Amino acid sequence: MPVFALPLALFALSALPLLAAVYFLSSRHQKRVVSSLLLWPKDALPKGGGRKASRFRAPWLLLLEILILVLLALAAAAPMLGLAAGRRPVCVVLDDRVSLRAHDASGASSRARGLAALLAELEKAGKWEAFVVIAGPRPLSVGSAQTPEALKELIGAASSQSKWPCLAESSDVSAALSLAGQTAPPGAVSLVVSDRAPPKDLAQGVRWLSVGALLPNLGITAAARGRADDGLARDDRVMVELSNFSAAPVKAQVVVERADGAASFVKVSEAAVPIAADGRETAVFKAPPESTLRVRLAVPDALDEDNAVTLLPEPRRILKAKVEVGDETLRQAVSRALLAAGAEEVSSGEALLVSDAPVPLMPAAPGADPKAKVAAPLPQTPQADVWEWRIAVSGKEDQPKAYTGPFILQRGHALTRGLLLDGVVWGAPPAGVAAQTDDEEVVGLGDRPLLVDRLFPGGEHRLFMALAPDLSTLAETPAFPVLIANLADWRLAHEPGLRRANWRQGESVRVAVAPLAPGPWRLEAPGAAPTQWRGGPVFEIPTARTGAHRFMSADGKWAWPFQVNLCNAEASDLRLAVSAAAGQWSDAVKTEGRFKPAFLLILVALGLLMLHAWLVRRGAAASGSEGGFQA
Amino acid sequence: MPEAQLFPSIPAAFARGRALGAGWRLCRPESAARGVAGVLLGKRPGSSVEFMDHRDYQPGDDIRRIDWAAFGRSDRLSIRLYREENAPRLDLIVDATRSMDLPGTGKAAAVATLAGMLLEAAQGAGFSPFLWLAGPAGLRPVRQARGDGMALALDFAEAGTPRIVDRAARLGAGSVRVLISDLLWPVAPELVVRHLAAGAASACVIQVMAQSEAEPPKVGAVRLHDHESGEERQIHVDAAIAKAYADNLAAHREAWGAACRCRGAQLVEVTETACFPDFQCEPFLRARLLEPR
C-alpha cells in the first residue's frame, strides 16, 4: 500500500473530469445547415463521440492525456512504496526525570504508566518502527523496535543498563527530539512520554503523553556539611533544607546517620521538623567528623529519591603563603589580608610567595643584546607550581607619582572579582610596572600597567604590581583584602583536588590535577562504566547520576571521592506533574527504506508526453495526405 | 471576426434587382430569339413586310410568295423572302426549392436580385420575360410577371429536388432560357442542359451558391443538416475532408461546365458576393448575358 507524503497533491486528479469535459466539449459537433450533402464525403466518420451510435472509437489521445495527468498527480503526491510496507516511523522520547519514579498509594509509578500509555498509543498507530531516545540532561539513543515485545525488551535493557533509570534532575526534551529526528528516517513522527505538561508551541507531528500524577511530596532540596576545624566547632555541622510540596503542613522526621562499615549506618541524631504547607525549613545537625553521613526522612512518601542525602567529609584546603615584604606597613597589611582570607602564613616550603624583592634576572640568550636581561624562569619542578606576587616597591629614584584613577580593571580576571578602586590613591612610577608583551593587564591607568599577570607554560602565574607605599592608600582601603582574598581563592582553585566533596546533581565538579600526574585520569560513577579523562589542568565533570563518585589518577596515587545528591526542588515538586495528552501525528509519514517512485513517474509521464506530441504531429501530417489521424 | 452581413428580404432584393436591371439589357444571341408576331426584326426570313431576298421556288413553298414579276422577266419561279418579324422571349427558371434559401446566408436574396435584374433587363431589351419556378413537381409559371407578385412567388418553400426537365412546361421556342439554381442536387447535368437548350435561342445556367458553400469548410466537428431534405450527418472536418469537399465542388462544377459547353450554353458561377454589397457584372458580361443599356 503506497503512502503519500503530500496527499493533497492528489487533488490534482480532480482535473480529470475537467479534462474530459474540455475534450468532449471541444469535440462536440456544431450544427451546420447546408444546402445539400451532395458535396460532403460520405465515408468521413466522426473521430470522437457524438449523438449517433457508431462503432466505438476510443479517444486514445484523451486516454493518453488522462494517463499523463494521473502520473503527474501521483508524482506530486510523493508516493512511497517499499520494504517497510507502510511501517510508521515513530521517534519515542522517554523523559528521564527522577519525578517519573514517583508512585501513588497503589505503588504504580509514572514510569510504568508511561510505558503502558506508550504501548497503547503505538497500538493505535498500526504498524510502526519505534526509535527510542532517552531525554536526560543529554539525549541518548538506545535503538529501535518494531513490535511491542521488542520495544519492551529494548526499554527493559535500557533500564537495566542505566540508560533509562529516571534519575535525572532535569531533561532536555527538545534536544532529544532533535536527536530522534536525526536518528529516525526523515518525516518520522514523535511520541514523547513525560510527566510534565507539553509546551504550548508543540511542533507538528509530535504527540505528547503526560503520565504524571499530582502527588504530595516531602523532600530534601539542599544539603551541606561543614568541617569541625572550620572555626571553633569540634563537630561537623550538617545543614539540610526540607521542602513540603503539598497543601497540608507536615512534620518531617529527619534522621542523621554515620557510616559504620561498608553498607551500614548508625543513627547519630534525629529531629522532627514541622513544615508548613508549601513551606521550606532548614535543619542543622552536629555530626562526627571524618565519617560519611546520611541524612534521611524516616517516613517514606511518593518519591523516594529525594528522601535521603549522603554527605562526605569536606576536604581541608588552606592556602599557604610566604610573605617576604621589606616594607613593614605593607607586610602587615598583606599578613592581615591573608589571615582574613583563611590562608596560613609559612616561612618555608611550597607556598604562594608575596615579595617585594626584585625579580632575579639572567643574561639573555647568546647572540642577543648583552645588555638585555630577562626574568629568571620559575622553577619547573613537576610537583610544585610556584605562584608569586612580586610587588615592585618604588623609591624616590623612580620618581613615583600618586594617581587617583580612573583605574581600568580587567573584569574577566579572577583578581578583580568584587574589586573597587574608587577613592584609592595609587602611587607608582610614571611607566608603571615593567610588563611584557604577553602579560595580561589586570589593573591599569591609561596606558600605564599597575598590576599584570604573567602566565608560564606550566600553569604558574607570576603577578607584578608597581606600588609606591608612601604615596598610596591602597593597603588601607578595603580593596586590598579583596585583592588578597581573590588571590587566595584563585590560587586555591588551582590547587590539585576538589574544592568540595558534596555536590548537587547537575552541577559540574571542578577538579584541578596540575601539576600532579599528567594523566590519564579515571572517573568512577554509579551505574556507569569508568571513564578516562585526559588533558587538564582542570576538568569539569558533569554529574548526571546521584551517588558516590571517585576521580583518581591512573596509578591510584591521587584519588578524590565526591558525592552527588539530588537536592533539586523542581524535581521534588510533583505538583508540576500532569496527566494529559496533546499533539497530533501528522499524516505525512515516511518510512526508512521506502522506494520513492516520483522521479520514475515523472520520467514515464515525460515519455508519454513525447508520445502524445508525436501522435499529434503524425496525425496532423496524415490529415494532410490520408484523411487525418485516426488513433 | 468579420462583421456579419445583413441581407435584404426577398421582396426587397427582388425590387433591388429590378432597379439594377434598369441599367442593363439582356443580350440577344447570334441566333435571334424567335417569337410570334413580334416587333423586332429577326435575322432570318419571316413574314414581315421588309423585303430581304429572293430564292428559287421549291415545292411546298407558299405560292403566295411567288414573285410573278420576276417570273415574267426571267421565266424562273422565285420566292420573295421578307425579313422575319419576331417578339423575343426570356424563360427565366428559378430553383425555388428550400435549399436556395439557406439560413444565415444571402443566397436567396442574391437569387431574387438576379431574377429581378434579369427580368428587368429582358424587358429593357424588348424580351417577353417569363418566370418559371422549379420545384419537385416541375416548372410552375408565375403569371404576374410584373409587380410584387413575382417577388412574393419566390418563397423557396418547397422541399425536394427541382425537376427542371419538365416536358409539360411550355418553354418558348427560340427563347433565351436562363436557369438560376445552386445545382446542388443529384442529377446528370447533361439531361438538364440538353432540355434547357433544346429549341432555345440560347441557354445560360447561373449557379448561385452561398459563400460558405463555395469555400472549403473550416476544420472542426460539425453536424451537417441538409436544409432540403432534413437529413443530418456528423463529420469531423479536417484538412482531408476539406480538400475532398473542394475537389467534389470542383468536379461538380466541371460536370455542369462540360454539359453547358456541349450544348452551347453558358455557365455563370457566382455567390451572394456577386450581388452584395454591390452588383458584380463581370461574370454576366463575360457570358454575354447582359450588356449595358
Side-chain angles (χ1 to χ4, degrees):
Chain A
M1 185 71 180
V3 177
F4 296 100
L6 300 171
L8 289 180
L10 292 178
F11 278 111
L13 293 177
S14 61
L16 290 179
L18 185 64
L19 173 65
V22 168
Y23 184 86
F24 284 109
L25 286 176
S26 65
S27 61
R28 189 184 61 173
H29 292 73
Q30 294 183 342
K31 182 179 180 180
R32 177 176 175 180
V33 181
V34 296
S35 300
S36 172
L37 299 176
L38 181 70
L39 303 177
W40 295 92
K42 292 182 180 178
D43 56 348
L45 294 175
K47 276 184 177 180
R51 291 198 312 175
K52 289 185 176 180
S54 61
R55 184 177 63 87
F56 175 71
R57 304 172 68 86
W60 295 111
L61 284 179
L62 173 63
L63 295 178
L64 209 54
E65 291 162 4
I66 289 176
L67 185 57
I68 292 172
L69 190 58
V70 168
L71 288 174
L72 290 179
L74 289 177
M80 288 172 291
L81 306 168
L83 307 175
R87 197 170 290 281
R88 176 185 291 241
V90 180
C91 299
V92 175
V93 176
L94 302 175
D95 197 344
D96 197 29
R97 288 176 186 273
V98 68
S99 55
L100 279 162
R101 283 179 168 260
H103 51 80
D104 53 17
S106 65
S109 66
S110 301
R111 187 174 183 273
R113 284 194 301 272
L115 187 57
L118 167 66
L119 295 174
E121 192 74 19
L122 288 177
E123 186 178 2
K124 292 188 291 186
K127 291 185 176 180
W128 45 264
E129 182 175 10
F131 298 84
V132 182
V133 174
I134 306 300
R138 290 189 301 176
L140 177 66
S141 176
V142 296
S144 64
Q146 296 186 352
T147 61
E149 293 73 21
L151 182 61
K152 286 179 184 176
E153 185 176 348
L154 178 66
I155 293 177
S159 301
S160 62
Q161 297 169 4
S162 295
K163 292 181 179 177
W164 192 39
C166 290
L167 287 174
E169 88 288 355
S170 64
S171 62
D172 191 348
V173 177
S174 299
L177 285 172
S178 300
L179 176 63
Q182 298 172 7
T183 306
V189 296
S190 299
L191 178 60
V192 179
V193 178
S194 175
D195 64 343
R196 299 303 164 98
K200 293 180 179 178
D201 54 345
L202 192 61
Q204 179 75 19
V206 177
R207 175 82 170 150
W208 188 292
L209 299 178
S210 298
V211 293
L214 202 159
L215 298 171
N217 186 37
L218 177 66
I220 301 174
T221 52
R225 178 172 179 175
R227 289 187 58 86
D229 52 3
D230 185 7
L232 302 177
R234 289 181 297 178
D235 294 326
D236 280 3
R237 288 165 296 172
V238 173
M239 187 278 293
V240 291
E241 181 188 79
L242 307 170
S243 298
N244 177 19
F245 299 106
S246 70
V250 295
K251 182 173 286 185
Q253 193 72 22
V254 184
V255 178
V256 180
E257 301 166 321
R258 67 173 173 83
D260 184 17
S264 63
F265 286 88
V266 176
K267 184 167 71 176
V268 174
S269 61
E270 183 174 6
V273 181
I275 311 174
D278 299 327
R280 185 174 298 181
E281 294 291 339
T282 303
V284 178
F285 301 91
K286 291 182 179 178
E290 305 300 335
S291 62
T292 300
L293 299 177
R294 185 174 72 176
V295 182
R296 63 178 177 85
L297 300 177
V299 180
D301 55 10
L303 186 60
D304 298 333
E305 279 65 29
D306 61 352
N307 288 345
V309 293
T310 301
L311 299 171
L312 301 181
E314 293 291 351
R316 176 180 171 83
R317 296 170 59 86
I318 296 178
L319 175 66
K320 294 180 179 178
K322 186 163 54 179
V323 181
E324 296 177 355
V325 178
D327 186 278
E328 182 58 23
T329 305
L330 185 59
R331 193 196 64 78
Q332 290 180 1
V334 170
S335 296
R336 285 197 306 269
L338 285 173
L339 180 63
E344 181 182 353
E345 192 171 337
V346 296
S347 58
S348 61
E350 295 176 1
L352 168 68
L353 175 63
V354 181
S355 173
D356 61 352
V359 177
L361 300 179
M362 61 177 293
D369 184 4
K371 295 181 180 178
K373 301 284 186 177
V374 297
L378 290 169
Q380 295 296 314
T381 54
Q383 299 177 0
D385 55 335
V386 179
W387 287 35
E388 290 183 1
W389 188 10
R390 294 282 177 175
I391 303 175
V393 176
S394 301
K396 291 182 179 179
E397 65 278 7
D398 298 326
Q399 299 178 348
K401 293 182 179 179
Y403 300 100
T404 58
F407 302 103
I408 302 172
L409 305 180
Q410 175 59 32
R411 285 298 178 189
H413 198 276
L415 285 183
T416 61
R417 186 172 56 191
L419 180 64
L420 291 175
L421 296 178
D422 297 341
V424 171
V425 180
W426 193 311
V433 69
Q436 295 183 3
T437 306
D438 295 335
D439 290 350
E440 182 180 6
E441 182 176 313
V442 181
V443 180
L445 181 69
D447 59 348
R448 188 179 298 112
L450 299 178
L451 176 61
V452 297
D453 175 18
R454 186 174 301 164
L455 175 65
F456 284 79
E460 307 86 359
H461 289 261
R462 180 178 282 177
L463 302 163
F464 296 94
M465 184 170 75
L467 184 70
D470 296 341
L471 301 177
S472 299
T473 62
L474 177 64
E476 289 86 31
T477 63
F480 195 72
V482 169
L483 202 57
I484 296 297
N486 287 340
L487 174 65
D489 284 346
W490 188 33
R491 181 65 187 94
L492 278 178
H494 287 78
E495 284 282 336
L498 294 166
R499 299 191 63 182
R500 286 192 286 136
N502 299 295
W503 300 80
R504 195 171 67 179
Q505 187 180 10
E507 287 183 317
S508 291
V509 176
R510 192 172 190 275
V511 183
V513 295
L516 306 178
W521 294 80
R522 174 187 173 97
L523 173 66
E524 295 176 354
T531 55
Q532 293 227 336
W533 295 69
R534 296 178 184 275
V538 176
F539 295 112
E540 297 281 346
I541 302 172
T543 54
R545 295 286 181 267
T546 58
H549 295 66
R550 190 163 66 153
F551 193 79
M552 55 190 297
S553 60
D555 56 3
K557 183 177 181 181
W558 300 91
W560 298 292
F562 61 95
Q563 180 74 27
V564 177
N565 296 300
L566 177 59
C567 294
N568 189 297
E570 185 184 353
S572 297
D573 191 357
L574 300 181
R575 295 173 301 180
L576 300 175
V578 297
S579 177
Q584 294 293 330
W585 283 347
S586 170
D587 291 334
V589 180
K590 297 179 180 177
T591 303
E592 187 179 21
R594 282 181 173 240
F595 173 58
K596 303 176 180 64
F599 186 68
L600 188 61
L601 292 174
I602 291 176
L603 281 181
V604 174
L606 287 177
L608 292 177
L609 202 59
M610 296 177 64
L611 175 63
H612 180 275
W614 179 76
L615 288 175
V616 169
R617 195 168 185 175
R618 196 194 72 164
S623 296
S625 58
E626 297 176 358
F629 166 67
Q630 299 288 332
Chain B
M1 187 174 182
E3 185 178 356
Q5 185 174 0
L6 296 177
F7 299 100
S9 63
I10 292 175
F14 189 82
R16 176 173 177 265
R18 285 281 193 184
L20 288 172
W24 299 89
R25 185 169 57 193
L26 194 66
C27 290
R28 297 183 65 190
E30 291 296 330
S31 57
R34 286 180 290 174
V36 293
V39 296
L40 297 179
L41 292 176
K43 292 183 179 178
R44 296 188 301 177
S47 57
S48 68
V49 296
E50 184 179 349
F51 174 77
M52 190 175 71
D53 201 356
H54 286 87
R55 71 168 174 82
D56 292 343
Y57 171 79
Q58 293 178 354
D61 287 343
D62 186 356
I63 58 174
R64 292 177 298 175
R65 300 287 179 97
I66 296 175
D67 189 348
W68 297 107
F71 178 74
R73 290 192 296 270
S74 62
D75 199 17
R76 292 178 58 189
L77 282 176
S78 58
I79 299 296
R80 295 174 63 94
L81 297 178
Y82 298 88
R83 174 162 288 186
E84 183 185 39
E85 191 178 62
N86 55 21
R89 168 174 168 160
L90 168 68
D91 286 314
L92 178 61
I93 304 171
V94 175
D95 183 354
T97 57
R98 189 181 296 173
S99 65
M100 299 303 291
D101 186 12
L102 190 63
T105 68
K107 191 174 177 181
V111 170
T113 300
L114 289 177
M117 189 181 66
L118 289 174
L119 292 173
E120 187 64 28
Q123 283 187 333
F127 282 68
S128 297
F130 286 82
L131 178 61
W132 301 84
L133 298 182
L139 300 182
R140 175 169 56 90
V142 179
R143 298 300 176 188
Q144 295 183 343
R146 300 187 67 87
D148 293 338
M150 280 189 160
L152 295 176
L154 289 172
D155 55 0
F156 303 108
E158 296 181 82
T161 302
R163 190 160 65 87
I164 307 297
V165 185
D166 183 7
R167 304 191 184 283
R170 300 174 62 87
L171 299 177
S175 62
V176 173
R177 295 174 185 169
V178 176
L179 170 63
I180 300 178
S181 172
D182 57 5
L183 307 181
L184 296 178
W185 74 89
V187 69
E190 172 64 23
L191 297 177
V192 177
V193 176
R194 186 175 65 187
H195 176 75
L196 191 67
S202 66
C204 181
V205 178
I206 301 176
Q207 185 188 33
V208 180
M209 298 181 73
Q211 185 66 26
S212 59
E213 293 175 319
E215 293 176 345
K218 295 179 181 178
V219 174
V222 293
R223 178 162 53 88
L224 301 174
H225 178 83
D226 192 335
H227 192 54
E228 193 78 61
S229 64
E231 180 184 355
E232 288 194 344
R233 181 184 301 172
Q234 292 180 354
I235 190 171
H236 185 89
V237 179
D238 52 13
I241 298 299
K243 183 175 183 301
Y245 181 90
D247 292 344
N248 290 343
L249 177 60
H252 187 69
R253 283 175 167 172
E254 177 57 28
W256 279 93
C260 289
R261 286 193 297 273
C262 183
R263 294 296 170 181
Q266 296 292 328
L267 176 64
V268 179
E269 299 166 347
V270 295
T271 64
E272 70 237 40
T273 57
C275 299
F276 302 104
D278 299 319
F279 176 67
Q280 307 294 328
C281 61
E282 288 78 8
F284 304 97
L285 294 176
R286 281 198 301 270
R288 298 187 60 81
L289 185 62
L290 294 176
E291 60 185 6
R293 183 176 291 183

